[in-house]
């Protein structure tokens, strides 16, 4: 089955700096890669996603890049703010199999003032 | 749109008893629902996938006789933790998808289960 690795496990940045979280996946058939933000005790919130026919996608301060050949994808957050502090999870799935998601291990992002 | 609810939001039960958690899609028909378990400071682990009207598909290592899943309608799936033990204490989250080729999952708010 699919295996998703995520790094780093913790990340501390100063407000205004950029944060980058990286994930690799094992199954070349995976073609959908969402990123979720989860605050303590809350549900995961989809913040951005990318499909395998696209190399990069951006939404305001958040961007995701995908390298299908290397089987890795990354989340980039620019101009970080304290409210960006949370746990971020990457995931991978294959469209057409009822969207079964395999999650990465998570990155705890702390944005300090 | 695409709202998923869970009930209860938290529950405390005694060891050996059973607990039922409900997951509802409020404004769409969920042909597929997923159940995840999340231990503190860990990732979401898929327990099972359920399709309306058919038996759930369990992930390897998940005891189907202990975690009973029923997906009787297009808007409701239930997870029953039978003979709960303290090690079953966890955050249980459901998600729903509107179709086989719909790739986005909509997550419920989660249920915090504590077994004493």
């Amino acid at each position: 089955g699919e295996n998703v690795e995520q790094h780093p496990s913790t990340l501390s940045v100063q407000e205004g700096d950029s944060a980058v979280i990286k994930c690799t996946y094992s199954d070349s058939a995976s073609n959908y890669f969402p990123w979720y933000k989860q605050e303590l005790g809350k549900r995961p919130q989809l913040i951005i996603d990318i499909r395998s026919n696209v190399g990069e996608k951006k939404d305001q301060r958040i961007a995701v890049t995908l390298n299908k050949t290397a089987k890795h994808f990354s989340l980039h957050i620019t101009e970080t703010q304290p409210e960006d502090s949370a746990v971020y999870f990457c995931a991978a799935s294959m469209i057409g199999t009822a969207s079964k998601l395999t999650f990465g291990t998570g990155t705890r992002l702390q944005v300090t003032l | 749109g695409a709202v998923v609810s869970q009930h209860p939001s938290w529950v405390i039960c005694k060891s050996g008893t059973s607990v039922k958690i409900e997951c509802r899609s409020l404004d769409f028909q969920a042909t597929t629902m997923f159940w995840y378990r999340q231990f503190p400071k860990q990732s979401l682990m898929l327990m099972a996938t359920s399709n309306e009207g058919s038996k759930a598909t369990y992930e390897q290592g998940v005891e189907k006789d202990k975690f009973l899943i029923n997906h009787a309608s297009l808007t409701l799936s239930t997870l029953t933790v039978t003979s709960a033990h303290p090690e079953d204490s966890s955050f249980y989250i459901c998600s729903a998808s509107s179709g086989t080729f719909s790739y986005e999952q909509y997550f419920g708010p989660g249920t915090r289960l504590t077994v004493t």
Side-chain angles (χ1 to χ4, degrees):
Chain A
E2 176 65 277
N3 182 52
V4 178
E5 294 187 357
Q6 183 172 346
H7 299 281
S9 56
T10 60
L11 179 59
S12 182
V13 300
Q14 283 196 322
E15 182 179 9
D17 288 350
S18 296
V20 179
I21 302 171
K22 298 182 179 182
C23 289
T24 60
Y25 61 99
S26 61
D27 191 345
S28 56
S30 291
N31 56 10
Y32 174 62
F33 308 94
W35 284 89
Y36 295 91
K37 174 184 180 182
Q38 187 181 32
E39 297 177 349
L40 189 62
K42 300 289 182 63
R43 77 184 86 195
Q45 289 182 293
L46 178 68
I47 56 171
I48 196 167
D49 57 11
I50 192 167
R51 296 181 65 174
S52 60
N53 58 348
V54 176
E56 184 174 355
K57 184 177 178 181
K58 190 174 181 180
D59 183 5
Q60 299 183 336
R61 297 186 297 110
I62 296 173
V64 56
T65 59
L66 171 65
N67 183 326
K68 284 170 49 181
T69 303
K71 288 190 280 190
H72 66 70
F73 56 113
S74 300
L75 177 71
H76 304 254
I77 306 174
T78 59
E79 300 172 24
T80 54
Q81 302 166 2
E83 51 264 39
D84 294 329
S85 296
V87 179
Y88 291 80
F89 292 98
C90 63
S93 76
M94 188 166 60
I95 297 172
T97 56
S99 310
K100 178 178 171 178
L101 286 169
T102 301
F103 282 85
T105 48
T107 296
R108 185 170 300 276
L109 173 65
Q110 183 169 4
V111 180
T112 58
L113 297 173
Chain B
V3 178
V4 177
S5 69
Q6 266 183 257
H7 179 81
S9 56
W10 60 270
V11 58
I12 301 173
C13 71
K14 292 186 176 181
S15 187
T17 61
S18 296
V19 174
K20 180 184 283 189
I21 302 170
E22 292 186 348
C23 176
R24 293 181 185 273
S25 57
L26 300 185
D27 53 2
F28 68 101
Q29 294 187 327
T31 53
T32 305
M33 287 185 169
F34 305 86
W35 287 95
Y36 297 88
R37 181 167 52 182
Q38 186 177 33
F39 292 110
K41 297 187 177 181
Q42 292 189 23
S43 186
L44 286 80
M45 297 299 296
L46 180 65
M47 300 175 66
T49 302
S50 74
N51 292 294
E52 184 264 340
S54 60
K55 289 185 178 180
T57 302
Y58 290 81
E59 294 298 301
Q60 192 171 10
V62 177
E63 301 173 57
K64 61 179 68 176
D65 293 331
K66 180 172 181 61
F67 299 99
L68 302 179
I69 292 172
N70 184 281
H71 191 165
S73 77
L74 285 171
T75 59
L76 173 65
S77 177
T78 60
L79 167 68
T80 301
V81 183
T82 63
S83 187
H85 291 286
E87 56 265 32
D88 298 323
S89 298
S90 188
F91 192 49
Y92 291 86
I93 308 175
C94 71
S95 70
S97 174
S98 61
T100 302
F101 293 93
S102 172
Y103 46 86
E104 188 166 351
Q105 290 187 26
Y106 304 98
F107 286 87
T111 297
R112 173 76 57 193
L113 170 63
T114 301
V115 184
T116 61

